[in-house]
Amino acid sequence: MSLVNLAHVCSHLNNATKARLGLTSIPNSNLHLKLSLALQNAGFISSVVRGGPTPPPPHVLLGHPSVNDESQGVEPITQSNVASRRLWLGLKYWQSEPVLSKMTLVSKPKRRINLDVPGLRQIIRGEKSGYVEGLRSPGECLFLSTDRGILEARECVEKKVGGLVLCRVL
């Protein structure tokens, strides 16, 4: 797991929301895909589509089938194009404000922070636990990499699992 690439993704998503982009792409990796799906489940982004260097057709992003699915479909993954694969993320806005306003990396490549369930309970209550500040605003989320995938801190407490703290999203 490369936290350096995850830091680039965090700063890219911050810049994309400040630039008011509706669609942006990040490099395709398993970590980025799982984090993007967790962000989508939490309601911060609208869509996640695997694609190539060019944006996917609008019907793929919206989930509506097209008449010519074969001619406009997503190209299959081969050995020659696997390095150019991208994840296309649809960004959400509410009353002309970005839903994902700020995304910061908590664990650094030189300082990885692991939390157990009692520490996560403190953070959810708004208290500081170790190096991690508590959750203060109602929409704030903390994502962790666990043995059950990437989960939000509240889900980790429900499932009684701890893990590596990845990022904080406002």
Side-chain angles (χ1 to χ4, degrees):
M1 167 185 343
S2 174
L3 291 178
V4 175
N5 292 337
L6 190 60
H8 293 314
V9 167
C10 290
S11 64
H12 177 78
L13 289 177
N14 284 335
N15 293 336
T17 56
K18 286 179 185 171
R20 304 276 193 231
L21 298 179
L23 184 68
T24 187
S25 70
I26 59 174
N28 183 19
S29 73
N30 287 334
L31 176 66
H32 297 163
L33 177 64
K34 290 175 185 175
L35 181 63
S36 299
L37 291 174
L39 286 171
Q40 186 181 19
N41 288 338
F44 287 105
I45 58 177
S46 61
S47 63
V48 178
V49 176
R50 272 188 177 164
T54 59
H59 73 276
V60 175
L61 291 172
L62 298 174
H64 300 297
S66 175
V67 178
N68 301 353
D69 265 347
E70 295 81 23
S71 63
Q72 294 182 353
V74 178
E75 61 187 71
I77 298 176
T78 61
Q79 279 299 109
S80 61
N81 71 357
V82 73
S84 65
R85 303 299 288 176
R86 308 284 291 172
L87 290 174
W88 290 90
L89 308 178
L91 302 177
K92 290 171 79 172
Y93 298 92
W94 176 253
Q95 296 177 347
S96 73
E97 290 295 321
V99 175
L100 191 152
S101 60
K102 187 176 179 185
M103 186 172 179
T104 57
L105 195 68
V106 176
S107 289
K108 307 291 188 221
K110 292 255 182 174
R111 187 185 70 192
R112 295 176 181 244
I113 299 172
N114 289 299
L115 284 176
D116 54 354
V117 179
L120 286 172
R121 283 196 182 110
Q122 286 182 331
I123 288 171
I124 290 172
R125 286 191 302 245
E127 302 167 4
K128 185 174 180 178
S129 175
Y131 291 109
V132 183
E133 292 290 328
L135 300 178
R136 298 288 180 192
S137 62
E140 190 173 7
C141 291
L142 188 71
F143 290 98
L144 288 89
S145 175
T146 66
D147 56 350
R148 298 185 187 178
I150 294 181
L151 301 174
E152 204 270 327
R154 294 169 186 91
E155 293 176 68
C156 290
V157 170
E158 287 175 11
K159 295 181 179 181
K160 295 185 173 77
V161 294
L164 175 70
V165 182
L166 293 177
C167 59
R168 176 185 299 266
V169 181
L170 293 170

